[in-house]
């Protein structure tokens, strides 16, 4: 909380029919071992002194960069959405300051509610306002209530206002590339909160799953279960394609670093060590793939992809698999460099250089050497992600001079549970995906550590939005999910008892039907069932 102030269907220029994905059963002995020297030194990811203030655009001063592959209209739409959402949350503190200054006026409650309705779009809890005459106004409770109410308000507006996205086109592209499901696990760092919608420019409904974990260390058992559910749906229902279609499940891990301050503003879960973050993500992908192959034989192999993100610029670094599906930390395409060398080209020339960059990465020698190029579908997918991300690089160039002003954490709340599909904006929320507090304790602890500096240090509470989804087709699922929310809330308040006792921890609870477009439903803390929101 700052209290201080359609991807196109890009076809490869190479000729030849699309080939089926290669097998990924690489023997353990063939895997590369970690070299004695670190893969990435801090200076490798830091901005070089010779690079201008704008790390991507080096045109003459006063002349903005215009990349030939940028989707400018989408950039404008995403900017308006980001400014609206963040503006709502950032407006809470100024409004509460105005209200606090009037707490001893005779008509304080009426004045406070009028201000809240006009500036926040909702009324404040009457009980908190009504008790202000007895002692000072409980600003911590009021602040927490405002954050939770804003979460619901913004989710509702996003649900009703967002235009339809080209989900069917992107799903068709994934299928043409050989993938019937794409599952992404980024780090839970709030700076990656806009990963799918902004950084990768993919529509929400095209991705099978996106669940964030501290350090991108996803739960292998839970992910194997999700893979089983996906494959069972193909066998039983033929969705999205029958089991004999020859497509695969793609698992993506996304780690991150900060080019401005790589040793301090990188991934907190890995001590801001980008080598550790990348290696850990790659190891987790190999373990996931091995778990499926060991349990369901090699014919059940999945494809994997490792992507890094510079959270200062939103530029991605894609680690290119070889013909066996294996990746190396030394074999990658860094999109910021690709933007620089293509910004003055025409669209055809720029697109050609994207594919040439992928080929060049596949041809590296030394530690990055692989066993040939990835299959055609993987090349098309990587090229599309790189091209999509060029729009995001320009988005940051055009609006923030190439680098975000908040290179560090600046989240507004902690999102616990299943997460909000409606909120995909950078640095808006730190996400801790969990089912129980015990299993999600490491993720929660990192989030509390972050907000101890952002909020607690300034006397503001840590807002925790607990959100779980239920299946309305299952009898009693809604009620059980609401009770689960209450158990998680109680466990969080017990784990961080000191913060809770001092009013520095505020938890809000909501549930939501799994059906697309379903509204958020608030959960009462006293055990009574909340009234079902109108559809």
């Amino acid at each position: 909380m700052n209290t201080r102030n359609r991807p196109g269907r890009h076809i490869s220029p190479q000729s030849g029919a699309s080939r089926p994905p290669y097998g990924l059963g690489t023997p353990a002995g063939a895997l590369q071992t970690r070299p004695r020297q670190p893969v990435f030194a801090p200076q490798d990811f830091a901005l070089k002194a010779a690079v201008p203030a704008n790390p991507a655009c080096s045109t003459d001063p006063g002349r903005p960069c215009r990349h030939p592959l940028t989707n400018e209209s989408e950039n404008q739409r995403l900017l308006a959405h980001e400014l609206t959402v963040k503006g709502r949350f950032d407006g809470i503190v100024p409004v509460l300051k105005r209200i606090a200054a009037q707490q001893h006026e005779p008509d304080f409650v009426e004045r406070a509610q009028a201000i809240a309705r006009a500036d926040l779009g909702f009324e404040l809890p009457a009980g908190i306002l009504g008790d202000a005459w007895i002692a000072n106004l409980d600003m911590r409770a009021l602040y927490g209530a405002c954050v939770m109410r804003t979460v619901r308000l913004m989710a509702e507006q996003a649900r009703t206002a967002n235009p339809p996205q080209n989900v069917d086109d992107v799903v068709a592209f994934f299928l043409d590339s050989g993938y019937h499901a794409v599952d992404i696990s980024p780090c839970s760092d709030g700076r990656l909160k806009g990963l799918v919608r902004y950084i990768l420019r993919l529509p929400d409904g095209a991705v099978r799953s996106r669940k964030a974990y501290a350090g991108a260390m996803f739960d292998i058992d839970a992910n194997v279960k999700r893979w089983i559910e996906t494959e069972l749906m193909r066998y039983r229902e033929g969705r999205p394609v029958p089991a004999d279609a020859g497509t695969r499940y793609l698992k993506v891990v996304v780690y991150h670093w900060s080019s401005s301050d790589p040793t301090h503003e990188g991934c907190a879960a890995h001590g801001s060590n980008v080598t550790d973050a990348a290696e850990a993500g790659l190891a987790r992908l190999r373990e996931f793939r091995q778990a499926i192959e060991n349990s369901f034989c090699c014919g059940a192999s999945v494809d994997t992809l490792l992507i890094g993100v510079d959270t200062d610029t939103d530029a991605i670094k894609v680690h290119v698999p070889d013909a066996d599906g294996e990746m190396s930390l030394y074999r990658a395409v860094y999109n910021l460099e690709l933007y620089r060398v293509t910004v003055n080209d025409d669209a055809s020339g720029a697109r050609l250089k994207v594919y040439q960059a992928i080929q060049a990465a596949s041809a590296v020698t030394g530690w990055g050497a692989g066993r040939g190029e990835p299959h055609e579908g993987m090349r098309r997918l990587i090229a599309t992600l790189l091209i999509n991300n060029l729009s995001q690089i320009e988005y940051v160039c055009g609006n923030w001079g190439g680098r975000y002003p908040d290179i560090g954490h600046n989240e507004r709340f902690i999102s616990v549970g299943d997460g909000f599909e409606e909120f995909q904006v950078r640095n808006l929320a730190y996400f801790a995906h969990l089912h129980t507090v015990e299993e999600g304790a490491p993720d929660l602890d990192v989030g509390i550590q972050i907000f101890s500096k952002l909020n607690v240090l300034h006397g503001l509470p840590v807002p925790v939005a607990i959100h779980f989804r239920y299946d309305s087709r299952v009898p009693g699922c809604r009620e059980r999910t609401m009770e689960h929310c209450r158990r998680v809330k109680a466990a969080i308040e017990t784990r961080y008892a000191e913060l809770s006792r001092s009013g520095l921890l505020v938890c809000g609870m909501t549930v939501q039907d799994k059906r697309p477009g379903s509204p958020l439903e608030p959960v009462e803390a006293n055990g009574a069932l909340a009234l079902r929101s109108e559809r």
Side-chain angles (χ1 to χ4, degrees):
M1 180 62 172
N2 184 2
T3 60
R4 301 168 292 279
N5 283 17
R6 128 185 170 231
R9 301 281 294 278
H10 303 300
I11 308 300
S12 171
Q14 298 182 10
S15 61
S18 176
R19 301 188 299 274
Y22 289 87
L24 298 179
T26 304
L31 300 178
Q32 295 180 355
T33 57
R34 180 175 179 173
R36 306 183 73 175
Q37 296 297 322
V39 175
F40 306 127
Q43 59 269 22
D44 294 333
F45 283 80
L47 299 173
K48 304 299 188 292
V51 176
N54 187 323
C57 180
S58 57
T59 60
D60 297 333
R63 183 167 68 89
C65 284
R66 288 291 182 267
H67 197 282
L69 300 181
T70 292
N71 187 333
E72 184 59 32
S73 62
E74 182 70 0
N75 279 0
Q76 294 175 3
R77 187 186 71 81
L78 290 174
L79 177 64
H81 175 69
E82 178 175 359
L83 294 179
T84 298
V85 173
K86 287 186 175 179
R88 286 282 193 170
F89 285 94
D90 293 345
I92 293 175
V93 169
V95 170
L96 292 185
K97 286 181 177 180
R98 291 176 55 198
I99 291 175
Q102 303 185 41
Q103 61 182 300
H104 299 299
E105 296 297 328
D107 56 347
F108 166 66
V109 175
E110 292 75 16
R111 289 191 183 193
Q113 295 291 26
I115 294 174
R117 284 193 299 267
D119 295 347
L120 298 178
F122 53 82
E123 289 193 347
L124 303 175
I128 299 177
L129 298 179
D131 292 339
W133 68 274
I134 302 173
N136 288 332
L137 185 62
D138 190 345
M139 298 306 301
R140 290 174 177 174
L142 205 57
Y143 171 80
C146 286
V147 172
M148 297 307 159
R149 187 65 183 87
T150 302
V151 168
R152 290 162 49 198
L153 179 65
M154 290 293 93
E156 180 64 20
Q157 291 185 2
R159 184 178 68 88
T160 58
N162 278 348
Q165 297 174 299
N166 54 327
V167 175
D168 291 342
D169 289 346
V170 178
V171 170
F173 168 76
F174 286 156
L175 290 172
D176 289 345
S177 299
Y179 301 113
H180 58 263
V182 177
D183 183 345
I184 304 177
S185 289
C187 178
S188 53
D189 190 297
R191 290 168 291 183
L192 292 180
K193 184 61 178 161
L195 173 70
V196 174
R197 186 177 296 177
Y198 283 76
I199 297 175
L200 300 181
R201 297 295 174 98
L202 297 174
D204 303 341
V207 178
R208 169 68 173 88
S209 174
R210 53 179 181 279
K211 296 187 182 299
Y213 300 80
M217 295 291 93
F218 64 89
D219 186 314
I220 293 178
D221 294 334
N223 277 256
V224 170
K225 180 181 177 181
R226 189 176 303 120
W227 176 85
I228 293 173
E229 293 172 347
T230 302
E231 299 309 302
L232 180 61
M233 187 165 61
R234 295 177 66 211
Y235 275 95
R236 293 297 301 269
E237 304 177 28
R239 292 192 296 124
V241 290
D244 59 356
T247 57
R248 288 192 177 186
Y249 190 104
L250 175 64
K251 179 66 183 182
V252 183
V253 159
V254 181
Y255 68 96
H256 65 99
W257 76 93
S258 165
S259 57
S260 299
D261 193 356
T263 59
H264 298 94
E265 296 294 351
C267 181
H270 294 291
S272 289
N273 187 316
V274 66
T275 300
D276 288 349
E279 284 190 336
L282 182 55
R284 190 58 58 101
L285 286 172
R286 286 170 174 164
E287 291 167 0
F288 170 71
R289 182 183 62 193
Q290 198 66 49
I292 292 178
E293 291 181 352
N294 290 348
S295 301
F296 301 93
C297 191
C298 56
S301 293
V302 298
D303 274 7
T304 58
L305 188 62
L306 181 68
I307 299 177
V309 175
D310 174 8
T311 54
D312 295 358
T313 66
D314 276 350
I316 63 175
K317 182 169 188 169
V318 182
H319 296 266
V320 181
D322 64 11
D324 296 328
E326 275 298 322
M327 288 171 287
S328 167
L329 302 192
Y330 293 91
R331 188 172 64 251
V333 177
Y334 185 24
N335 215 29
L336 193 67
E337 296 292 344
L338 194 54
Y339 181 96
R340 291 173 184 153
V341 300
T342 58
V343 67
N344 293 318
D345 291 349
D346 58 27
S348 297
R351 187 173 288 111
L352 176 61
K353 285 184 180 179
V354 170
Y355 284 96
Q356 289 174 338
I358 299 172
Q359 290 177 325
S362 297
V364 299
T365 57
W367 280 104
R371 299 166 64 90
E373 296 184 8
H375 61 79
E376 173 71 12
M378 175 62 79
R379 290 202 302 271
R380 292 179 62 206
L381 175 68
I382 292 175
T384 297
L385 294 179
L386 290 169
I387 290 171
N388 290 353
N389 182 245
L390 292 173
S391 290
Q392 183 64 14
I393 293 174
E394 190 153 301
Y395 176 88
V396 181
C397 285
N399 299 304
W400 290 279
R403 187 186 300 108
Y404 287 109
D406 53 344
I407 66 168
H409 290 282
N410 196 21
E411 293 93 337
R412 278 64 174 176
F413 63 95
I414 297 178
S415 176
V416 169
D418 290 335
F420 300 95
E421 301 293 341
E422 296 81 2
F423 293 122
Q424 294 188 47
V425 176
R426 180 187 185 274
N427 246 345
L428 182 65
Y430 173 89
F431 180 50
H433 170 68
L434 54 82
H435 185 71
T436 66
V437 172
E438 290 78 13
E439 67 173 308
D443 289 19
L444 267 177
D445 290 345
V446 172
I448 294 295
Q449 178 185 1
I450 290 170
F451 274 82
S452 294
K453 298 177 182 178
L454 290 177
N455 283 27
V456 176
L457 189 63
H458 303 280
L460 286 175
V462 180
V464 180
I466 304 168
H467 182 69
F468 288 98
R469 296 177 178 271
Y470 65 89
D471 191 340
S472 59
R473 299 170 298 180
V474 180
C477 185
R478 177 175 179 267
E479 289 70 23
R480 289 190 295 271
T481 303
M482 297 174 80
E483 188 57 36
H484 181 57
C485 279
R486 299 186 187 101
R487 288 196 300 269
V488 169
K489 176 178 180 291
I492 291 175
E493 291 173 344
T494 298
R495 183 173 183 83
Y496 309 105
E498 185 176 348
L499 290 175
S500 182
R501 283 193 299 267
S502 58
L504 289 171
L505 181 70
V506 177
C507 297
M509 300 176 290
T510 53
V511 295
Q512 186 177 24
D513 192 357
K514 290 182 177 180
R515 292 179 301 171
S518 298
L520 270 64
E521 307 172 42
V523 179
E524 302 294 338
N526 59 9
L529 292 179
L531 295 177
R532 181 181 295 272
S533 300
E534 293 186 3
R535 301 297 182 196

